[in-house]
């Protein structure tokens, strides 16, 4: 039976940041291979959410009726991670971490994790240390474990900057065990360099 991966999207979400991950999970890392996961979108309500690129997305679930049984929670970046609406995601992330689920956050999704103390015990990255300090304020006490990288995985948290969507996808696929590492490396090489070796 396939496990669910839940993508949290808010209005003005950055549509490209989750596209590679959702596709690799939905059709398999290498098309025709084993598919272990199913992808679902979650938003504050069941109303349509509009991406920063103008796509209108009708979420599968709202925060009220989202499944409790899932493998990973993915926070897709965008322009609304510092709004009151985003604060509703705090208990969802806390519950996921308490249950040992994988939490992935890219771009302002990573800044959001920082602002609520979720990055204080892991190595992490984001849209630059200065932005994390700004978002985190006095609650951010782990600047020494900031890593200047496109994406990084530590424990069960994956963080990435806003242009690290391929590296974010690779780290998430590896942590989820979506395929063997060699196939995931081939996937990454194809999309990064335009070839398969």
């Amino acid at each position: 039976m396939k496990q669910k991966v839940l993508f949290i999207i808010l209005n003005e979400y950055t549509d490209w940041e989750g596209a590679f991950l959702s596709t690799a999970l939905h059709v398999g890392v290498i098309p025709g291979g084993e598919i272990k996961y199913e992808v679902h979108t979650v938003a504050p309500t069941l109303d349509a959410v509009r991406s920063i690129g103008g796509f209108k997305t009708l979420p599968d679930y709202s925060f009220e009726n989202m499944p409790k049984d899932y493998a990973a929670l993915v926070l897709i970046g965008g322009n609304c991670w510092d709004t009151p609406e985003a604060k509703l995601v705090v208990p969802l992330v806390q519950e996921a971490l308490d249950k040992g689920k994988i939490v992935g956050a890219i771009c302002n999704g990573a800044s959001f994790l920082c602002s609520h103390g979720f990055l204080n015990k892991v190595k992490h990255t984001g849209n630059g240390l200065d932005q994390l300090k700004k978002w985190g304020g006095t609650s951010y006490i782990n600047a020494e474990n900031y890593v200047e990288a496109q994406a990084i995985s530590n424990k069960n948290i994956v963080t990435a900057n806003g242009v690290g969507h391929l590296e974010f996808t690779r780290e998430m696929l590896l942590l989820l065990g979506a395929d063997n590492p060699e196939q995931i490396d081939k996937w990454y090489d194809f999309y990064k360099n335009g070839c398969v070796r």
Side-chain angles (χ1 to χ4, degrees), residues 81-183:
W81 281 104
D82 59 351
T83 64
E85 185 176 64
K87 288 183 181 167
L88 300 172
V89 179
V90 173
L92 305 179
V93 172
Q94 188 63 63
E95 181 179 358
L97 293 173
D98 289 346
K99 292 183 175 180
K101 308 284 187 191
I102 295 168
V103 174
I106 183 168
C107 192
N108 281 342
S111 301
F112 169 83
L113 289 185
C114 178
S115 68
H116 294 283
F118 294 118
L119 301 183
N120 282 336
K121 295 182 181 178
V122 294
K123 290 182 181 178
H124 57 279
T125 194
N127 289 337
L129 184 56
D130 288 342
Q131 182 178 349
L132 292 182
K133 286 180 177 178
K134 180 180 176 184
W135 279 60
T138 57
S139 65
Y140 179 46
I141 56 170
N142 195 21
E144 67 273 9
N145 278 309
Y146 172 80
V147 178
E148 191 70 47
Q150 296 292 86
I152 187 169
S153 174
N154 188 229
K155 300 180 182 174
N156 59 328
I157 295 179
V158 177
T159 51
N161 65 44
V163 294
H165 49 277
L166 292 175
E167 292 78 10
F168 178 69
T169 298
R170 179 183 58 197
E171 295 300 323
M172 288 294 296
L173 293 174
L174 288 167
L175 200 55
L176 284 163
D179 208 318
N180 66 58
E182 294 77 21
Q183 292 290 57

Side-chain angles (χ1 to χ4, degrees), residues 178-192:
D179 208 318
N180 66 58
E182 294 77 21
Q183 292 290 57
I184 293 170
D185 283 346
K186 285 180 182 178
W187 174 93
Y188 177 76
D189 191 42
F190 177 79
Y191 285 103
K192 188 72 173 179

